[in-house]
Amino acid sequence: MKRKMPVLASVVALTMALTACGGTSGTKATTTPAGTAAPTASAGASTAKDTITALLPPVSPNYQKQFEQMSKDFTAQYPNLTLKIEPASWEDMKQKLDTQVNAGSPPDIAFGGSDGIPKYLQQGLLMDITDSATPEMINDYEKAPLEYMKNGKGLYGFPAYMEVHALGGNKAFLEKAGIDWKKVQTSGWTYDEFRQAVKKGVVTENGKTRYGFVFAVKGVAAVDYLGIMAKNAGMPHAFNKDLKYAYTSKNYLGLLKDLRQLIDDGSMPKELSSVDAGKRWNMFLTGQTMITGKGLAVFENSAKTNNAKLKASDASAVKDSIPVDYVVLPAPTFQGAKPSFATVVDGYMTFRGKKEPTAEHKANVVKAAYFLASGKNAAATNSDLFSAHITQSGKKAAESMKIDRSPENVAAVDYMLKNATPARSDIPTELGAKAIKLETEVIVPKFQGLIAGEITPEAMYEAVKTAAIAAFGADGVVKD
């Protein structure tokens, strides 16, 4: 995930200049490190030497610091196997992985967003591990996040976490505006309720305005804002269950009107189109907005870190920032729709080279991917990120890991996860590709124009509708 932080985000692709090793493999497990799920006899029994390569980014603040220990623990568990980890930055992962995939020699394992699976699957180098993942591995997972690593009937790796794209609020400002934020955290709110709340959050002091709501929308971030809200407006995916393009629905026009209305109300800055992720977070920490988006659970930790720097008079604290109690908030629902909160599932995708891997090597890759995605490795990473644990082994290992996290924020994330947008592995690759093209060429620029006040919601809606009919046909779009 490029947690943007890098995230969740939207999502991430990956990397590495290592070639996938062919080989024979095995798994004669010895002592299992504490908190790591134990292997089973069904996982394989060869004792031949084998090396598994992995290209991994800085998934969490402390993640890459553990690479040497991870490799040692893996070999302790599987004496005949070596896990060779190549660190990569978020900035160069996609290019490196794409280069390797195009050359036909990707790493065995690469970390990235589950939304990248269709792309790499189309290139023919993702490895389906359905027949190699043991029942013990599969049953360790909660069902929902595992579904994101599937396409059709194939399973192409193991998820690391399931994050929710939420909003974040300044506790003091919320309470000053009379907003019952605890109720919102566990019951949600409608657009009308949200609209009135952010109006109350607008304050002018000493000639400066504090806005009720700010969302990062500069560049491609605009589609994050629109996509997250669209899920809560009765359009959880770009295609409905009948595989008809959903953004021609009247709900889409209603959503566009609502999002523009927040700017016209004065609850969001007129210059919103110039706000990128960095500026958005800076505005939140310096008290220029009551609510910010998009927010991830780890932002609570980021706010606490800055608070500690302020208390210690540390010069590295954000300039002009103030102490902030970060409150996780769900996005509002629109058009009377049921909540369907945007999620991002990132994980360890499994690759193959041009040659068919041996059954032994394939089994070894599965062991390595599961090793990284479960037990104490998952516990440490998810605790670092304030992410919910999605494996039983990770949850158990995390019991001894204490983190300073608001119980109210935990409850808010739980509420959103219970109402998370389900995975859709049934959308054909060709339809998905057309939708992405339409999004890139029409939706993003038109929405940026809408935010900037250059076009009306109606004009954008008609442009999207015209492009959708051209792409999917008159019978391939929603009509309501």
Side-chain angles (χ1 to χ4, degrees):
M1 150 186 198
K2 181 173 182 179
R3 284 200 147 237
K4 314 227 185 130
M5 168 187 138
V7 179
L8 275 310
S10 308
V11 158
V12 172
L14 335 162
T15 154
M16 167 174 138
L18 294 174
T19 58
C21 301
T24 57
S25 89
T27 155
K28 191 170 179 182
T30 55
T31 304
T32 300
T36 302
T40 64
S42 60
S46 171
T47 57
K49 296 290 185 180
D50 195 9
T51 297
I52 299 93
T53 59
L55 190 288
L56 308 176
V59 178
S60 74
N62 295 303
Y63 184 71
Q64 291 187 330
K65 299 175 184 177
Q66 306 303 317
F67 283 177
E68 184 176 352
Q69 189 61 49
M70 286 179 183
S71 294
K72 289 180 179 179
D73 288 347
F74 182 70
T75 299
Q77 186 169 336
Y78 303 102
N80 59 307
L81 303 182
T82 298
L83 176 60
K84 187 176 182 180
I85 302 176
E86 175 77 11
S89 69
W90 284 115
E91 287 70 25
D92 64 9
M93 277 200 69
K94 185 179 185 302
Q95 182 178 359
K96 284 187 176 182
L97 182 63
D98 286 350
T99 298
Q100 292 300 305
V101 168
N102 291 335
S105 57
D108 292 312
I109 299 167
F111 188 94
S114 58
D115 61 346
I117 288 176
K119 170 186 173 181
Y120 294 115
L121 185 60
Q122 196 171 34
Q123 292 174 284
L125 293 184
L126 272 184
M127 186 168 69
D128 183 359
I129 62 172
T130 304
D131 61 352
S132 301
T134 67
E136 289 83 0
M137 293 175 180
I138 297 300
N139 293 334
D140 192 25
Y141 276 95
E142 292 182 7
K143 184 177 179 180
L146 193 64
E147 292 297 309
Y148 280 82
M149 301 301 290
K150 296 181 180 179
N151 188 281
K153 295 182 179 180
L155 175 64
Y156 298 95
F158 293 113
Y161 47 70
M162 184 173 185
E163 273 279 10
V164 184
H165 284 157
L167 306 181
N170 179 310
K171 180 181 176 181
F173 294 166
L174 290 168
E175 293 181 345
K176 188 174 182 180
I179 298 168
D180 187 350
W181 56 270
K182 289 185 179 180
K183 180 180 179 181
V184 172
Q185 283 187 320
T186 56
S187 301
W189 44 5
T190 65
Y191 167 70
D192 289 336
E193 292 169 334
F194 178 77
R195 182 189 179 197
Q196 294 307 314
V198 294
K199 278 184 178 181
K200 295 176 182 177
V202 179
V203 176
T204 300
E205 295 177 338
N206 301 319
K208 296 182 179 180
T209 298
R210 177 169 73 234
Y211 295 97
F213 182 39
V214 171
F215 202 103
V217 298
K218 185 177 181 180
V220 294
V223 79
D224 285 344
Y225 183 31
L226 185 54
I228 288 169
M229 299 305 186
K231 293 182 187 303
N232 265 356
M235 296 164 289
H237 296 277
F239 297 92
N240 66 11
K241 293 181 179 180
D242 296 324
L243 296 180
K244 294 186 183 295
Y245 190 71
Y247 298 158
T248 53
S249 166
K250 65 177 186 291
N251 277 17
Y252 198 70
L253 175 57
L255 175 65
L256 297 178
K257 290 180 178 179
D258 289 342
L259 297 183
R260 178 62 220 181
Q261 191 174 52
L262 294 173
I263 300 175
D264 295 336
D265 283 346
S267 298
M268 302 184 83
K270 292 182 179 179
E271 304 79 16
L272 187 66
S273 59
S274 67
V275 177
D276 59 17
K279 184 175 181 180
R280 170 278 318 265
W281 187 236
N282 180 278
M283 291 180 71
F284 183 73
L285 291 182
T286 55
Q288 295 179 65
T289 184
M290 178 178 72
I291 296 175
T292 189
K294 73 187 169 191
L296 298 170
V298 73
F299 287 9
E300 177 187 346
N301 198 26
S302 298
K304 286 180 177 180
T305 298
N306 195 68
N307 290 344
K309 290 180 178 180
L310 288 173
K311 188 175 182 179
S313 299
D314 188 331
S316 65
V318 173
K319 184 179 179 181
D320 298 326
S321 59
I322 61 175
V324 174
D325 283 335
Y326 185 87
V327 174
V328 174
L329 297 168
T333 55
F334 300 78
Q335 322 301 319
K338 294 180 179 180
S340 183
F341 298 109
T343 56
V344 56
V345 177
D346 293 345
Y348 301 89
M349 294 189 289
T350 49
F351 287 81
R352 48 164 291 176
K354 290 181 179 179
K355 294 183 179 180
E356 182 70 24
T358 64
E360 290 83 359
H361 182 66
K362 185 176 182 180
N364 291 340
V365 173
V366 171
K367 291 166 194 164
Y370 178 67
F371 170 81
L372 293 168
S374 64
K376 70 175 185 180
N377 292 321
T381 302
N382 289 356
S383 294
D384 209 14
L385 295 172
F386 282 21
S387 295
H389 300 289
I390 60 174
T391 61
Q392 293 304 312
S393 60
K395 189 177 297 184
K396 184 176 181 180
E399 290 175 356
S400 61
M401 301 177 184
K402 304 300 180 184
I403 59 174
D404 181 18
R405 188 179 180 190
S406 159
E408 290 86 3
N409 286 347
V410 173
V413 172
D414 286 344
Y415 164 72
M416 287 183 282
L417 285 174
K418 289 176 182 177
N419 294 280
T421 303
R424 286 284 303 277
S425 59
D426 63 308
I427 299 174
T429 303
E430 59 271 19
L431 285 184
K434 287 183 179 181
I436 291 173
K437 187 173 186 291
L438 194 156
E439 176 182 276
T440 302
E441 297 180 355
V442 181
I443 292 178
V444 170
K446 292 297 182 183
F447 189 58
Q448 289 172 330
L450 175 65
I451 291 171
E454 297 167 354
I455 63 172
T456 65
E458 291 81 3
M460 175 176 171
Y461 176 71
E462 288 302 322
V464 172
K465 188 174 180 180
T466 298
I469 292 173
F472 306 109
D475 294 330
V477 302
V478 169
K479 300 175 182 177
D480 57 14

